[in-house]
Amino acid sequence: MGRVKTETMSLAQARRVALAAQGLHTPRPDDGATPRQVTLRHVQRTVDRLGLLQIDSVNVLARAHLVPLYSRLGPYDVSLLDRAAGRAPRRLVEYWGHVASYVPPETYRFLEWRQRAYRTEAWGAISGVELSHSAVVEHVRGIVAARGPITAGEVHELLEAEGMGEARTTTEWGWNWSLAKRALEFLFFTGEITAARRNAAFERCYDLTERVLPAAVVAAPPVSDEDAVRRLLEIGARAHGVGTLRCFRDYFRLRGPAPRRALDELVEDGVLRPVEVRGWDETTYLHRDAVVPRRAQGRALLSPFDPLVFERTRLEQLFGTRYRIEIYVPAAKRVHGYYVLPFLQGDRITAKVDLKADRRAGILRVLAAHREEHADAETAPALAAELRLMATWLGMASVVVGPLGDLAPALAAELAQPPAQGAAGVVAG
């Protein structure tokens, strides 16, 4: 029997597959005088396609989970996401997916293997509290059962009133968690409690998981570790369209040998098939649901936490752009800025912009704008139109471009012109 010939595709085809899998290959219906009204159904469909939304508290532009939906749907009412995650029947719940994430309730069950493996999956400030403060954990468990939904601050006050409080910890870099918060996060990690909603300060309001998840999900039988890893790897592969084992396992931060076994099973079952991507010198796989569009005509600013840019090596190999988030880099050493968004134009990343929503002044500030290798004559006009639209979504009255970056002069000149007739967005300040 002869050897089966491996399918080949170009890098350009692989890029279009990746963009189609992420819903970024076609123009959004947000131009003109009457943009589409985005509904909860649109939000649900987008999240189902992506598989998850990463949560991050940085709010210099907009919170991390909000921007990927904007990138794909255009201007939308962000209260739709609050409704999906904070009101029954919930369409989204929180857990550790690709770090802290919103996931569909059904996917939550596939993450229960991580709850069972908390001693190795959770970091020390969480996993250690069970042994060092077992009585406090038990008491917090009772507080949530009796009073949930409840915030960490409220639980902290209750513990202090009962003489069970403790100074906040700085043992984990960047955090300053009270004992109440550590106990709550332990119970959150092990699946006993979850976030019923977020309050106005973006704090988790904890409640018993059985009171948050839809009843059908609560009643569903447990999923074995092997099946769970396979399902999660398949979700990552479908969301990527094409990629390597490294890409797929990173989507839900899967470690150890289990993802390799899961990938082999998915190949054997025909869910994935090996392909050769010319110019991508790694073993790659194509999901059976992947499509190869003839063209990619989308346009979007991408959050640093967008699923398309999760795996930086993949982004560099597919799109030829090197991207690093520089929030934690000292200001003098930053190359592109503090909160930099790649700009997708067609099937290329053509620019990077450092953005800040100055809410007090009502200005979307472009602190720096840099060209990428594949920028062309349409990059500045296209980016200007995108910035106008984003400013409208954020409630900013104008866009102001600073002097930093080689794209800044052309971008400022474009924004100084009135918008094209019928185009959405604000004018430059």
Side-chain angles (χ1 to χ4, degrees), residues 46-93:
T46 302
V47 174
D48 287 345
R49 181 198 289 265
L50 300 181
L52 55 76
L53 294 172
Q54 181 176 341
I55 302 170
D56 191 89
S57 60
V58 175
N59 198 27
V60 65
L61 180 69
R63 297 200 190 277
H65 54 286
L66 301 177
V67 182
L69 292 175
Y70 165 80
S71 300
R72 291 152 178 83
L73 298 173
Y76 73 101
D77 182 352
V78 298
S79 69
L80 291 173
L81 197 53
D82 294 333
R83 177 180 164 191
R87 286 168 49 184
R90 286 173 179 79
R91 298 166 185 250
L92 293 172
V93 293

mmCIF file of all heavy atoms in Angstrom, residues 46-93:
data_model
loop_
_atom_site.group_PDB
_atom_site.id
_atom_site.type_symbol
_atom_site.label_atom_id
_atom_site.label_comp_id
_atom_site.label_asym_id
_atom_site.label_seq_id
_atom_site.Cartn_x
_atom_site.Cartn_y
_atom_site.Cartn_z
ATOM 1 N N THR A 46 -20.378 34.290 18.551
ATOM 2 C CA THR A 46 -18.955 34.627 18.502
ATOM 3 C C THR A 46 -18.172 33.883 19.575
ATOM 4 O O THR A 46 -17.091 33.347 19.316
ATOM 5 C CB THR A 46 -18.769 36.146 18.654
ATOM 6 O OG1 THR A 46 -19.495 36.817 17.619
ATOM 7 C CG2 THR A 46 -17.298 36.529 18.548
ATOM 8 N N VAL A 47 -18.706 33.839 20.796
ATOM 9 C CA VAL A 47 -18.020 33.125 21.873
ATOM 10 C C VAL A 47 -17.945 31.634 21.569
ATOM 11 O O VAL A 47 -16.937 30.979 21.824
ATOM 12 C CB VAL A 47 -18.702 33.377 23.226
ATOM 13 C CG1 VAL A 47 -18.072 32.524 24.319
ATOM 14 C CG2 VAL A 47 -18.610 34.848 23.601
ATOM 15 N N ASP A 48 -19.001 31.078 20.998
ATOM 16 C CA ASP A 48 -18.973 29.664 20.629
ATOM 17 C C ASP A 48 -17.874 29.392 19.602
ATOM 18 O O ASP A 48 -17.220 28.345 19.634
ATOM 19 C CB ASP A 48 -20.326 29.233 20.065
ATOM 20 C CG ASP A 48 -21.397 29.115 21.137
ATOM 21 O OD1 ASP A 48 -21.045 29.080 22.334
ATOM 22 O OD2 ASP A 48 -22.588 29.068 20.776
ATOM 23 N N ARG A 49 -17.676 30.331 18.693
ATOM 24 C CA ARG A 49 -16.621 30.181 17.689
ATOM 25 C C ARG A 49 -15.242 30.241 18.341
ATOM 26 O O ARG A 49 -14.357 29.429 18.046
ATOM 27 C CB ARG A 49 -16.741 31.276 16.628
ATOM 28 C CG ARG A 49 -15.688 31.176 15.518
ATOM 29 C CD ARG A 49 -15.579 32.499 14.759
ATOM 30 N NE ARG A 49 -16.731 32.770 13.943
ATOM 31 C CZ ARG A 49 -16.845 32.483 12.644
ATOM 32 N NH1 ARG A 49 -15.844 31.877 12.027
ATOM 33 N NH2 ARG A 49 -17.924 32.791 11.969
ATOM 34 N N LEU A 50 -15.061 31.202 19.249
ATOM 35 C CA LEU A 50 -13.757 31.397 19.878
ATOM 36 C C LEU A 50 -13.466 30.358 20.956
ATOM 37 O O LEU A 50 -12.309 30.021 21.204
ATOM 38 C CB LEU A 50 -13.673 32.802 20.492
ATOM 39 C CG LEU A 50 -13.847 33.981 19.535
ATOM 40 C CD1 LEU A 50 -13.724 35.294 20.298
ATOM 41 C CD2 LEU A 50 -12.825 33.920 18.418
ATOM 42 N N GLY A 51 -14.496 29.885 21.637
ATOM 43 C CA GLY A 51 -14.302 28.898 22.688
ATOM 44 C C GLY A 51 -14.093 29.488 24.063
ATOM 45 O O GLY A 51 -14.409 28.851 25.078
ATOM 46 N N LEU A 52 -13.566 30.708 24.139
ATOM 47 C CA LEU A 52 -13.352 31.373 25.423
ATOM 48 C C LEU A 52 -13.035 32.839 25.181
ATOM 49 O O LEU A 52 -12.718 33.257 24.074
ATOM 50 C CB LEU A 52 -12.222 30.699 26.208
ATOM 51 C CG LEU A 52 -10.844 30.533 25.560
ATOM 52 C CD1 LEU A 52 -10.050 31.834 25.517
ATOM 53 C CD2 LEU A 52 -10.023 29.498 26.313
ATOM 54 N N LEU A 53 -13.114 33.614 26.258
ATOM 55 C CA LEU A 53 -12.671 35.008 26.269
ATOM 56 C C LEU A 53 -11.772 35.190 27.475
ATOM 57 O O LEU A 53 -12.175 34.919 28.609
ATOM 58 C CB LEU A 53 -13.855 35.976 26.368
ATOM 59 C CG LEU A 53 -14.829 36.051 25.199
ATOM 60 C CD1 LEU A 53 -16.021 36.926 25.579
ATOM 61 C CD2 LEU A 53 -14.144 36.610 23.955
ATOM 62 N N GLN A 54 -10.549 35.638 27.254
ATOM 63 C CA GLN A 54 -9.647 35.874 28.380
ATOM 64 C C GLN A 54 -10.106 37.099 29.157
ATOM 65 O O GLN A 54 -10.524 38.113 28.588
ATOM 66 C CB GLN A 54 -8.213 36.074 27.901
ATOM 67 C CG GLN A 54 -7.226 36.289 29.045
ATOM 68 C CD GLN A 54 -5.786 36.396 28.574
ATOM 69 O OE1 GLN A 54 -5.452 35.977 27.474
ATOM 70 N NE2 GLN A 54 -4.933 36.949 29.407
ATOM 71 N N ILE A 55 -10.017 37.008 30.484
ATOM 72 C CA ILE A 55 -10.390 38.109 31.375
ATOM 73 C C ILE A 55 -9.119 38.753 31.916
ATOM 74 O O ILE A 55 -8.198 38.064 32.342
ATOM 75 C CB ILE A 55 -11.251 37.611 32.551
ATOM 76 C CG1 ILE A 55 -12.516 36.921 32.036
ATOM 77 C CG2 ILE A 55 -11.609 38.742 33.498
ATOM 78 C CD1 ILE A 55 -13.291 36.191 33.124
ATOM 79 N N ASP A 56 -9.064 40.068 31.879
ATOM 80 C CA ASP A 56 -7.956 40.788 32.488
ATOM 81 C C ASP A 56 -8.488 42.121 32.997
ATOM 82 O O ASP A 56 -9.367 42.726 32.377
ATOM 83 C CB ASP A 56 -6.824 41.022 31.490
ATOM 84 C CG ASP A 56 -5.560 41.520 32.166
ATOM 85 O OD1 ASP A 56 -4.743 40.679 32.591
ATOM 86 O OD2 ASP A 56 -5.392 42.746 32.275
ATOM 87 N N SER A 57 -7.945 42.570 34.130
ATOM 88 C CA SER A 57 -8.494 43.767 34.778
ATOM 89 C C SER A 57 -7.952 45.069 34.204
ATOM 90 O O SER A 57 -8.459 46.148 34.541
ATOM 91 C CB SER A 57 -8.206 43.716 36.285
ATOM 92 O OG SER A 57 -6.803 43.665 36.523
ATOM 93 N N VAL A 58 -6.919 45.022 33.361
ATOM 94 C CA VAL A 58 -6.347 46.248 32.803
ATOM 95 C C VAL A 58 -7.421 46.980 32.006
ATOM 96 O O VAL A 58 -8.034 46.416 31.104
ATOM 97 C CB VAL A 58 -5.124 45.931 31.916
ATOM 98 C CG1 VAL A 58 -4.618 47.199 31.240
ATOM 99 C CG2 VAL A 58 -4.015 45.289 32.752
ATOM 100 N N ASN A 59 -7.612 48.252 32.305
ATOM 101 C CA ASN A 59 -8.712 49.006 31.709
ATOM 102 C C ASN A 59 -8.220 50.291 31.047
ATOM 103 O O ASN A 59 -8.953 51.270 30.960
ATOM 104 C CB ASN A 59 -9.754 49.340 32.785
ATOM 105 C CG ASN A 59 -11.104 49.724 32.202
ATOM 106 O OD1 ASN A 59 -11.442 49.302 31.103
ATOM 107 N ND2 ASN A 59 -11.864 50.520 32.926
ATOM 108 N N VAL A 60 -6.985 50.290 30.576
ATOM 109 C CA VAL A 60 -6.438 51.494 29.957
ATOM 110 C C VAL A 60 -7.194 51.837 28.680
ATOM 111 O O VAL A 60 -7.341 53.022 28.336
ATOM 112 C CB VAL A 60 -4.928 51.330 29.697
ATOM 113 C CG1 VAL A 60 -4.652 50.238 28.683
ATOM 114 C CG2 VAL A 60 -4.309 52.641 29.249
ATOM 115 N N LEU A 61 -7.706 50.827 27.988
ATOM 116 C CA LEU A 61 -8.529 51.048 26.796
ATOM 117 C C LEU A 61 -9.934 50.518 27.053
ATOM 118 O O LEU A 61 -10.900 51.267 27.118
ATOM 119 C CB LEU A 61 -7.906 50.360 25.580
ATOM 120 C CG LEU A 61 -8.673 50.518 24.271
ATOM 121 C CD1 LEU A 61 -8.595 51.962 23.778
ATOM 122 C CD2 LEU A 61 -8.155 49.557 23.206
ATOM 123 N N ALA A 62 -10.056 49.232 27.191
ATOM 124 C CA ALA A 62 -11.288 48.542 27.581
ATOM 125 C C ALA A 62 -10.844 47.186 28.104
ATOM 126 O O ALA A 62 -9.800 46.667 27.710
ATOM 127 C CB ALA A 62 -12.236 48.383 26.392
ATOM 128 N N ARG A 63 -11.619 46.598 28.978
ATOM 129 C CA ARG A 63 -11.198 45.344 29.592
ATOM 130 C C ARG A 63 -11.035 44.257 28.529
ATOM 131 O O ARG A 63 -11.719 44.234 27.513
ATOM 132 C CB ARG A 63 -12.186 44.922 30.664
ATOM 133 C CG ARG A 63 -12.270 45.924 31.808
ATOM 134 C CD ARG A 63 -12.841 45.303 33.065
ATOM 135 N NE ARG A 63 -13.141 46.310 34.072
ATOM 136 C CZ ARG A 63 -12.241 46.830 34.912
ATOM 137 N NH1 ARG A 63 -10.988 46.433 34.860
ATOM 138 N NH2 ARG A 63 -12.606 47.744 35.797
ATOM 139 N N ALA A 64 -10.100 43.336 28.826
ATOM 140 C CA ALA A 64 -9.618 42.383 27.819
ATOM 141 C C ALA A 64 -10.717 41.576 27.162
ATOM 142 O O ALA A 64 -10.664 41.295 25.962
ATOM 143 C CB ALA A 64 -8.592 41.449 28.466
ATOM 144 N N HIS A 65 -11.743 41.175 27.928
ATOM 145 C CA HIS A 65 -12.777 40.305 27.372
ATOM 146 C C HIS A 65 -13.748 41.060 26.473
ATOM 147 O O HIS A 65 -14.508 40.439 25.724
ATOM 148 C CB HIS A 65 -13.550 39.621 28.505
ATOM 149 C CG HIS A 65 -14.102 40.579 29.510
ATOM 150 N ND1 HIS A 65 -13.312 41.203 30.435
ATOM 151 C CD2 HIS A 65 -15.361 41.012 29.736
ATOM 152 C CE1 HIS A 65 -14.058 41.995 31.196
ATOM 153 N NE2 HIS A 65 -15.302 41.900 30.784
ATOM 154 N N LEU A 66 -13.734 42.388 26.540
ATOM 155 C CA LEU A 66 -14.665 43.176 25.745
ATOM 156 C C LEU A 66 -14.184 43.396 24.308
ATOM 157 O O LEU A 66 -14.985 43.437 23.378
ATOM 158 C CB LEU A 66 -14.904 44.539 26.406
ATOM 159 C CG LEU A 66 -15.471 44.526 27.823
ATOM 160 C CD1 LEU A 66 -15.570 45.946 28.369
ATOM 161 C CD2 LEU A 66 -16.836 43.849 27.856
ATOM 162 N N VAL A 67 -12.877 43.542 24.136
ATOM 163 C CA VAL A 67 -12.351 43.949 22.836
ATOM 164 C C VAL A 67 -12.453 42.859 21.761
ATOM 165 O O VAL A 67 -12.783 43.166 20.608
ATOM 166 C CB VAL A 67 -10.909 44.467 22.971
ATOM 167 C CG1 VAL A 67 -10.370 44.950 21.616
ATOM 168 C CG2 VAL A 67 -10.846 45.615 23.980
ATOM 169 N N PRO A 68 -12.183 41.579 22.048
ATOM 170 C CA PRO A 68 -12.333 40.573 20.981
ATOM 171 C C PRO A 68 -13.731 40.534 20.374
ATOM 172 O O PRO A 68 -13.877 40.299 19.173
ATOM 173 C CB PRO A 68 -11.997 39.255 21.689
ATOM 174 C CG PRO A 68 -11.056 39.653 22.775
ATOM 175 C CD PRO A 68 -11.575 40.971 23.260
ATOM 176 N N LEU A 69 -14.755 40.779 21.179
ATOM 177 C CA LEU A 69 -16.110 40.833 20.619
ATOM 178 C C LEU A 69 -16.265 42.055 19.719
ATOM 179 O O LEU A 69 -16.850 41.975 18.640
ATOM 180 C CB LEU A 69 -17.139 40.867 21.745
ATOM 181 C CG LEU A 69 -17.264 39.585 22.573
ATOM 182 C CD1 LEU A 69 -18.237 39.792 23.726
ATOM 183 C CD2 LEU A 69 -17.720 38.425 21.706
ATOM 184 N N TYR A 70 -15.726 43.201 20.146
ATOM 185 C CA TYR A 70 -15.771 44.389 19.302
ATOM 186 C C TYR A 70 -15.034 44.145 17.983
ATOM 187 O O TYR A 70 -15.500 44.547 16.906
ATOM 188 C CB TYR A 70 -15.152 45.592 20.021
ATOM 189 C CG TYR A 70 -14.844 46.721 19.081
ATOM 190 C CD1 TYR A 70 -15.860 47.580 18.668
ATOM 191 C CD2 TYR A 70 -13.563 46.897 18.555
ATOM 192 C CE1 TYR A 70 -15.598 48.598 17.756
ATOM 193 C CE2 TYR A 70 -13.293 47.897 17.650
ATOM 194 C CZ TYR A 70 -14.313 48.745 17.252
ATOM 195 O OH TYR A 70 -14.057 49.728 16.345
ATOM 196 N N SER A 71 -13.870 43.490 18.057
ATOM 197 C CA SER A 71 -13.065 43.255 16.854
ATOM 198 C C SER A 71 -13.823 42.475 15.805
ATOM 199 O O SER A 71 -13.577 42.634 14.602
ATOM 200 C CB SER A 71 -11.776 42.515 17.219
ATOM 201 O OG SER A 71 -11.003 43.270 18.132
ATOM 202 N N ARG A 72 -14.762 41.622 16.248
ATOM 203 C CA ARG A 72 -15.494 40.763 15.330
ATOM 204 C C ARG A 72 -16.908 41.257 15.046
ATOM 205 O O ARG A 72 -17.466 40.956 13.988
ATOM 206 C CB ARG A 72 -15.546 39.340 15.890
ATOM 207 C CG ARG A 72 -14.168 38.679 15.879
ATOM 208 C CD ARG A 72 -14.006 37.637 16.955
ATOM 209 N NE ARG A 72 -12.686 37.002 16.889
ATOM 210 C CZ ARG A 72 -11.586 37.525 17.433
ATOM 211 N NH1 ARG A 72 -11.642 38.687 18.091
ATOM 212 N NH2 ARG A 72 -10.427 36.898 17.317
ATOM 213 N N LEU A 73 -17.509 41.987 15.983
ATOM 214 C CA LEU A 73 -18.905 42.406 15.840
ATOM 215 C C LEU A 73 -19.067 43.896 15.575
ATOM 216 O O LEU A 73 -20.133 44.333 15.154
ATOM 217 C CB LEU A 73 -19.682 42.045 17.112
ATOM 218 C CG LEU A 73 -19.767 40.563 17.465
ATOM 219 C CD1 LEU A 73 -20.411 40.377 18.834
ATOM 220 C CD2 LEU A 73 -20.549 39.815 16.397
ATOM 221 N N GLY A 74 -18.033 44.676 15.837
ATOM 222 C CA GLY A 74 -18.167 46.109 15.773
ATOM 223 C C GLY A 74 -18.785 46.655 17.046
ATOM 224 O O GLY A 74 -18.895 45.943 18.050
ATOM 225 N N PRO A 75 -19.196 47.920 17.052
ATOM 226 C CA PRO A 75 -19.755 48.525 18.268
ATOM 227 C C PRO A 75 -20.939 47.726 18.801
ATOM 228 O O PRO A 75 -21.854 47.376 18.052
ATOM 229 C CB PRO A 75 -20.191 49.911 17.794
ATOM 230 C CG PRO A 75 -19.298 50.208 16.628
ATOM 231 C CD PRO A 75 -19.097 48.882 15.943
ATOM 232 N N TYR A 76 -20.895 47.404 20.075
ATOM 233 C CA TYR A 76 -21.972 46.641 20.703
ATOM 234 C C TYR A 76 -22.135 47.113 22.136
ATOM 235 O O TYR A 76 -21.247 47.754 22.708
ATOM 236 C CB TYR A 76 -21.676 45.140 20.656
ATOM 237 C CG TYR A 76 -20.589 44.696 21.610
ATOM 238 C CD1 TYR A 76 -20.896 44.089 22.832
ATOM 239 C CD2 TYR A 76 -19.232 44.879 21.309
ATOM 240 C CE1 TYR A 76 -19.907 43.690 23.716
ATOM 241 C CE2 TYR A 76 -18.247 44.472 22.179
ATOM 242 C CZ TYR A 76 -18.573 43.884 23.378
ATOM 243 O OH TYR A 76 -17.588 43.495 24.250
ATOM 244 N N ASP A 77 -23.257 46.799 22.700
ATOM 245 C CA ASP A 77 -23.559 47.160 24.079
ATOM 246 C C ASP A 77 -22.870 46.158 25.000
ATOM 247 O O ASP A 77 -23.220 44.977 25.020
ATOM 248 C CB ASP A 77 -25.078 47.124 24.283
ATOM 249 C CG ASP A 77 -25.506 47.532 25.685
ATOM 250 O OD1 ASP A 77 -24.640 47.706 26.558
ATOM 251 O OD2 ASP A 77 -26.723 47.668 25.907
ATOM 252 N N VAL A 78 -21.886 46.621 25.790
ATOM 253 C CA VAL A 78 -21.106 45.699 26.620
ATOM 254 C C VAL A 78 -21.940 45.073 27.723
ATOM 255 O O VAL A 78 -21.533 44.065 28.310
ATOM 256 C CB VAL A 78 -19.872 46.396 27.217
ATOM 257 C CG1 VAL A 78 -18.931 46.876 26.111
ATOM 258 C CG2 VAL A 78 -20.265 47.548 28.131
ATOM 259 N N SER A 79 -23.110 45.641 28.010
ATOM 260 C CA SER A 79 -23.979 45.026 29.019
ATOM 261 C C SER A 79 -24.481 43.653 28.559
ATOM 262 O O SER A 79 -24.919 42.848 29.381
ATOM 263 C CB SER A 79 -25.162 45.936 29.347
ATOM 264 O OG SER A 79 -26.066 46.026 28.250
ATOM 265 N N LEU A 80 -24.396 43.376 27.241
ATOM 266 C CA LEU A 80 -24.770 42.048 26.755
ATOM 267 C C LEU A 80 -23.882 40.973 27.370
ATOM 268 O O LEU A 80 -24.346 39.883 27.709
ATOM 269 C CB LEU A 80 -24.668 41.989 25.228
ATOM 270 C CG LEU A 80 -25.690 42.801 24.432
ATOM 271 C CD1 LEU A 80 -25.340 42.774 22.949
ATOM 272 C CD2 LEU A 80 -27.097 42.267 24.657
ATOM 273 N N LEU A 81 -22.598 41.289 27.524
ATOM 274 C CA LEU A 81 -21.688 40.320 28.120
ATOM 275 C C LEU A 81 -21.963 40.168 29.612
ATOM 276 O O LEU A 81 -21.911 39.060 30.153
ATOM 277 C CB LEU A 81 -20.241 40.746 27.876
ATOM 278 C CG LEU A 81 -19.164 39.684 28.062
ATOM 279 C CD1 LEU A 81 -19.457 38.446 27.249
ATOM 280 C CD2 LEU A 81 -17.801 40.242 27.698
ATOM 281 N N ASP A 82 -22.262 41.275 30.280
ATOM 282 C CA ASP A 82 -22.646 41.190 31.705
ATOM 283 C C ASP A 82 -23.891 40.317 31.862
ATOM 284 O O ASP A 82 -23.986 39.522 32.804
ATOM 285 C CB ASP A 82 -22.928 42.586 32.258
ATOM 286 C CG ASP A 82 -21.685 43.456 32.299
ATOM 287 O OD1 ASP A 82 -20.581 42.894 32.405
ATOM 288 O OD2 ASP A 82 -21.817 44.693 32.218
ATOM 289 N N ARG A 83 -24.816 40.476 30.951
ATOM 290 C CA ARG A 83 -26.044 39.683 31.012
ATOM 291 C C ARG A 83 -25.743 38.197 30.780
ATOM 292 O O ARG A 83 -26.274 37.324 31.472
ATOM 293 C CB ARG A 83 -27.024 40.193 29.960
ATOM 294 C CG ARG A 83 -28.321 39.402 29.857
ATOM 295 C CD ARG A 83 -29.201 40.016 28.787
ATOM 296 N NE ARG A 83 -30.271 39.120 28.383
ATOM 297 C CZ ARG A 83 -31.056 39.322 27.332
ATOM 298 N NH1 ARG A 83 -30.886 40.406 26.591
ATOM 299 N NH2 ARG A 83 -32.002 38.469 27.019
ATOM 300 N N ALA A 84 -24.869 37.908 29.811
ATOM 301 C CA ALA A 84 -24.545 36.515 29.485
ATOM 302 C C ALA A 84 -23.858 35.811 30.640
ATOM 303 O O ALA A 84 -24.063 34.607 30.860
ATOM 304 C CB ALA A 84 -23.662 36.465 28.239
ATOM 305 N N ALA A 85 -23.042 36.550 31.415
ATOM 306 C CA ALA A 85 -22.267 35.931 32.492
ATOM 307 C C ALA A 85 -22.866 36.161 33.871
ATOM 308 O O ALA A 85 -22.454 35.499 34.827
ATOM 309 C CB ALA A 85 -20.839 36.477 32.471
ATOM 310 N N GLY A 86 -23.838 37.066 33.982
ATOM 311 C CA GLY A 86 -24.309 37.447 35.307
ATOM 312 C C GLY A 86 -25.773 37.206 35.589
ATOM 313 O O GLY A 86 -26.250 37.527 36.681
ATOM 314 N N ARG A 87 -26.502 36.642 34.612
ATOM 315 C CA ARG A 87 -27.928 36.380 34.821
ATOM 316 C C ARG A 87 -28.294 34.996 34.309
ATOM 317 O O ARG A 87 -27.780 34.549 33.282
ATOM 318 C CB ARG A 87 -28.770 37.436 34.091
ATOM 319 C CG ARG A 87 -28.764 38.793 34.768
ATOM 320 C CD ARG A 87 -29.341 39.885 33.891
ATOM 321 N NE ARG A 87 -30.612 39.537 33.287
ATOM 322 C CZ ARG A 87 -31.262 40.307 32.422
ATOM 323 N NH1 ARG A 87 -30.721 41.468 32.054
ATOM 324 N NH2 ARG A 87 -32.424 39.933 31.913
ATOM 325 N N ALA A 88 -29.149 34.334 35.030
ATOM 326 C CA ALA A 88 -29.599 32.998 34.613
ATOM 327 C C ALA A 88 -30.604 33.113 33.459
ATOM 328 O O ALA A 88 -31.378 34.072 33.401
ATOM 329 C CB ALA A 88 -30.236 32.285 35.798
ATOM 330 N N PRO A 89 -30.594 32.144 32.547
ATOM 331 C CA PRO A 89 -29.626 31.053 32.428
ATOM 332 C C PRO A 89 -28.332 31.559 31.811
ATOM 333 O O PRO A 89 -28.352 32.213 30.766
ATOM 334 C CB PRO A 89 -30.324 30.058 31.496
ATOM 335 C CG PRO A 89 -31.199 30.927 30.624
ATOM 336 C CD PRO A 89 -31.641 32.074 31.504
ATOM 337 N N ARG A 90 -27.217 31.297 32.465
ATOM 338 C CA ARG A 90 -25.942 31.862 32.037
ATOM 339 C C ARG A 90 -25.433 31.209 30.763
ATOM 340 O O ARG A 90 -25.446 29.986 30.641
ATOM 341 C CB ARG A 90 -24.916 31.745 33.164
ATOM 342 C CG ARG A 90 -25.208 32.750 34.281
ATOM 343 C CD ARG A 90 -24.313 32.533 35.475
ATOM 344 N NE ARG A 90 -24.605 33.527 36.494
ATOM 345 C CZ ARG A 90 -25.650 33.476 37.337
ATOM 346 N NH1 ARG A 90 -26.496 32.457 37.269
ATOM 347 N NH2 ARG A 90 -25.847 34.425 38.225
ATOM 348 N N ARG A 91 -24.964 32.056 29.879
ATOM 349 C CA ARG A 91 -24.352 31.586 28.631
ATOM 350 C C ARG A 91 -22.837 31.533 28.748
ATOM 351 O O ARG A 91 -22.165 30.965 27.883
ATOM 352 C CB ARG A 91 -24.757 32.516 27.481
ATOM 353 C CG ARG A 91 -26.269 32.545 27.238
ATOM 354 C CD ARG A 91 -26.652 33.718 26.354
ATOM 355 N NE ARG A 91 -28.105 33.814 26.207
ATOM 356 C CZ ARG A 91 -28.759 33.554 25.081
ATOM 357 N NH1 ARG A 91 -28.103 33.151 24.016
ATOM 358 N NH2 ARG A 91 -30.069 33.687 25.024
ATOM 359 N N LEU A 92 -22.309 32.166 29.792
ATOM 360 C CA LEU A 92 -20.877 32.170 30.057
ATOM 361 C C LEU A 92 -20.645 32.028 31.554
ATOM 362 O O LEU A 92 -21.425 32.564 32.355
ATOM 363 C CB LEU A 92 -20.226 33.480 29.588
ATOM 364 C CG LEU A 92 -20.177 33.753 28.089
ATOM 365 C CD1 LEU A 92 -19.691 35.166 27.835
ATOM 366 C CD2 LEU A 92 -19.291 32.747 27.392
ATOM 367 N N VAL A 93 -19.577 31.335 31.921
ATOM 368 C CA VAL A 93 -19.164 31.237 33.322
ATOM 369 C C VAL A 93 -17.650 31.417 33.371
ATOM 370 O O VAL A 93 -16.953 31.260 32.363
ATOM 371 C CB VAL A 93 -19.566 29.891 33.961
ATOM 372 C CG1 VAL A 93 -21.069 29.783 34.085
ATOM 373 C CG2 VAL A 93 -19.006 28.713 33.169
#
